[in-house]
Amino acid sequence: YFVIPVVNVDGFYTIYEQYMKTGELILKRKNNDRSNEGDANCPLQTQGVDINRNYGYLWGNEEGPCSESYPGPHAFSEPESKAMRSMLYKYQDTIKMVYNFHAFGPMYVWPYNGQLDNQLEEENPDAQAIFNEIWDGASFPSTTLRGNAIKTVGYKADGECNDYIMKQFNIP
């Protein structure tokens, strides 16, 4: 097993640092890469790159660097997503399943998050069967939403980690 508790270490540290200074938790989903043009004018919470939008499948969005989900100047521009990609290439024959946990709410999210109409069942019925089996066999809270990003959070998530892993490595 590989357990990676936090990919966005410097973003996590910013939350911790602000809490120690002010006693308040800030919402920050991005890393602390401040090399992007225009980023210096962004509030602290929106500076940086959303690492979970920095992967190479359906990468990109129309929003600028102050956007909460800014994907960076190009796919894999960030050391965190590069490190994950390298690990996946190294262990692609060993890894059988990847699940990307988030703390936003009671949701069980699976690929493809960059699609409005999820094509997972048509493109990879075996992977969809695995996600369904987990859903059917687990005890999720009754308020848990399931599906891709459109079904759970209500928006597309281009350049998302699990979409890339499914497309590039065929790992659910």
Side-chain angles (χ1 to χ4, degrees):
Y1 296 96
F2 295 97
V3 176
I4 303 165
V6 177
V7 174
N8 186 6
V9 176
D10 58 342
F12 179 83
Y13 183 75
T14 299
I15 295 167
Y16 166 77
E17 189 175 53
Q18 287 298 306
Y19 180 76
M20 296 308 288
K21 285 180 186 175
T22 66
E24 294 183 29
L25 290 171
I26 62 169
L27 297 175
K28 180 165 178 63
R29 64 187 288 156
K30 296 163 76 176
N31 70 5
N32 287 333
D33 180 353
R34 293 183 175 85
S35 65
N36 299 297
E37 190 174 318
D39 201 47
N41 299 321
C42 304
L44 178 65
Q45 292 93 326
T46 62
Q47 291 176 358
V49 171
D50 183 342
I51 298 166
N52 198 40
R53 303 289 187 279
N54 191 240
Y55 291 83
Y57 176 69
L58 297 177
W59 174 87
N61 72 20
E62 305 294 321
E63 302 175 34
C66 292
S67 160
E68 192 176 89
S69 59
Y70 177 63
H74 56 82
F76 300 108
S77 62
E78 305 308 300
E80 300 92 341
S81 59
K82 286 179 188 175
M84 291 298 298
R85 178 182 60 185
S86 294
M87 186 188 115
L88 288 161
Y89 271 107
K90 183 174 182 177
Y91 296 106
Q92 64 184 307
D93 295 330
T94 304
I95 297 172
K96 304 300 179 205
M97 171 99 183
V98 173
Y99 194 76
N100 188 355
F101 288 94
H102 294 272
F104 184 68
M107 298 174 199
Y108 177 48
V109 184
W110 57 66
Y112 293 111
N113 295 294
Q115 297 177 345
L116 289 174
D117 184 30
N118 196 343
Q119 300 296 313
L120 180 61
E121 189 163 5
E122 292 81 15
E123 292 181 19
N124 198 328
D126 291 339
Q128 183 67 65
I130 291 168
F131 291 115
N132 290 343
E133 184 177 338
I134 292 168
W135 176 263
D136 293 341
S139 296
F140 288 95
S142 62
T143 57
T144 303
L145 302 174
R146 67 179 173 156
N148 69 346
I150 284 291
K151 299 267 187 195
T152 56
V153 293
Y155 56 79
K156 286 187 345 173
D158 296 334
E160 197 266 342
C161 175
N162 288 87
D163 291 4
Y164 169 74
I165 294 168
M166 181 66 78
K167 283 292 187 179
Q168 185 67 33
F169 301 101
N170 197 34
I171 299 172

